[in-house]
Amino acid sequence: MSEAERKRRSDYKKNRSKWMLIQLVAIAVITAILLGYFVTYRQLNKTYYIDYTESGDINYRVNLKENEFYDEDVMEKGQSYVASLIDAIDADLTYRLNMNTAGVKYEYSYRVDAQLEIVDDQSGAKIYAPTYPLTEEKLLSTSSDNQLVIRESVSIDYHKYNDLANKFNTVYDLEGTTSTLVVSMYVDVVGSCDAFEQDAENDYVVSLRIPLTGKTVNIKMTTSVPEGESKVL
C-alpha cells in the first residue's frame, strides 16, 4: 500500500471519528433540550394541592338587667333568655385557617355588620332589612407559621334594635312577620404563592341570629366555613 493511500485512510478514520463525536454531542444536546421541555411541561401541568383546615366559631354572653330573680349578671350561650331582661349581648367571632404548605402569603379583610331583618312569614320575603356596621373593614396580611386567625369582639345593644323592630311593626300595623337581628363577620381570604398559577380566593360568613320582638330569645349560630378540605390551585 502506498504512503498516499495510508494517509488517505488515516485521514478518513480521523474525520469519521470527529463526525461521530459531533453527532453524539448533537444527540446529547437535543436529548437534554427535549428532556427539559418534558420536565417543564410536566411541572406546568401538575396539579398542586394545599391541604388546610379551617373553622368558624362564635362565643357570646348575655348581660342581664338588675332583677329580683337571677343571681348572676351574665348568662352563657346556649340558653333561652327573657327578652325584657336583656341589657346587652357580647359576642366573640373567630375564624381560623391552618395550612400544611409553607411559603404561602395570607392576605385578608374582614368586617362585622348587624342587619335588622323583618320578614313576611307567608312569603318569606324581607320587608325591611337595614344594615348597621359594627366595625370598620380591616385589611391585614401575615405569612407566619402558616396560620391565620381572626378574632373580633362586639357589644350588641339589644334594646336599640328590638325597639326599632317594634316601632316599624307598630307604625305600619304589621302582623305575621318575624324580626331578627343578624350579626355577621364577613371574611375575604386571598392566599398567594409563587409556586401556584392562581391565588385562592374565598369568602366566609360567621353569623349570630338574635330573635327580636318576642318574650323569649333563643340565639342561633351559623357559619359558611367548611371543615377541612384540599384546595386546588
Side-chain angles (χ1 to χ4, degrees):
M1 179 182 301
S2 65
E3 187 65 28
E5 183 65 21
R6 284 198 201 93
K7 187 176 184 305
R8 188 181 64 79
R9 291 189 178 187
S10 177
D11 292 342
Y12 173 76
K13 290 180 180 180
K14 290 179 181 180
N15 291 334
R16 186 177 65 176
S17 298
K18 289 180 181 179
W19 178 244
M20 292 179 63
L21 180 60
I22 292 172
Q23 287 182 319
L24 290 174
V25 171
I27 292 172
V29 171
I30 293 172
T31 301
I33 293 173
L34 292 176
L35 182 61
Y37 276 118
F38 176 75
V39 171
T40 302
Y41 176 80
R42 288 291 301 274
Q43 290 295 322
L44 290 176
N45 286 275
K46 183 177 180 180
T47 300
Y48 288 89
Y49 292 87
I50 286 183
D51 292 324
Y52 66 86
T53 58
E54 53 188 346
S55 61
D57 184 51
I58 305 174
N59 189 31
Y60 65 88
R61 299 162 301 283
V62 176
N63 301 300
L64 301 180
K65 296 178 181 177
E66 186 176 349
N67 65 89
E68 58 181 308
F69 299 101
Y70 290 90
D71 294 330
E72 65 270 27
D73 297 328
V74 179
M75 297 180 68
E76 298 300 324
K77 69 178 182 180
Q79 304 181 49
S80 292
Y81 314 94
V82 178
S84 60
L85 292 180
I86 297 176
D87 186 21
I89 301 172
D90 296 329
D92 302 318
L93 300 94
T94 304
Y95 170 83
R96 294 183 182 88
L97 173 68
N98 292 283
M99 285 191 181
N100 297 325
T101 304
V104 179
K105 181 181 178 182
Y106 308 118
E107 297 176 350
Y108 56 94
S109 66
Y110 70 93
R111 71 185 191 279
V112 180
D113 291 342
Q115 185 174 52
L116 174 60
E117 295 182 352
I118 299 180
V119 178
D120 178 67
D121 292 338
Q122 187 173 4
S123 65
K126 293 181 182 179
I127 302 173
Y128 186 55
T131 299
Y132 307 91
L134 298 183
T135 68
E136 296 181 354
E137 184 175 49
K138 299 181 180 181
L139 302 174
L140 298 170
S141 177
T142 181
S143 57
S144 61
D145 300 327
N146 296 329
Q147 187 179 52
L148 182 154
V149 180
I150 298 173
R151 294 188 182 93
E152 189 68 38
S153 298
V154 293
S155 182
I156 303 161
D157 187 346
Y158 175 80
H159 284 286
K160 170 185 173 181
Y161 302 104
N162 193 56
D163 290 346
L164 182 58
N166 276 317
K167 181 178 180 180
F168 185 88
N169 285 320
T170 299
V171 168
Y172 296 103
D173 194 23
L174 298 178
E175 295 182 355
T177 61
T178 298
S179 302
T180 308
L181 183 68
V182 184
V183 178
S184 301
M185 180 169 71
Y186 299 90
V187 182
D188 299 325
V189 183
V190 175
S192 59
C193 179
D194 292 339
F196 303 117
E197 185 176 340
Q198 298 178 355
D199 291 340
E201 298 185 4
N202 299 297
D203 301 321
Y204 300 113
V205 182
V206 181
S207 296
L208 199 65
R209 300 185 65 87
I210 306 170
L212 301 171
T213 70
K215 293 183 178 181
T216 60
V217 175
N218 291 289
I219 299 173
K220 296 182 179 180
M221 298 176 292
T222 60
T223 175
S224 69
V225 182
E227 291 291 339
E229 51 181 64
S230 295
K231 181 67 180 180
V232 181
L233 299 180

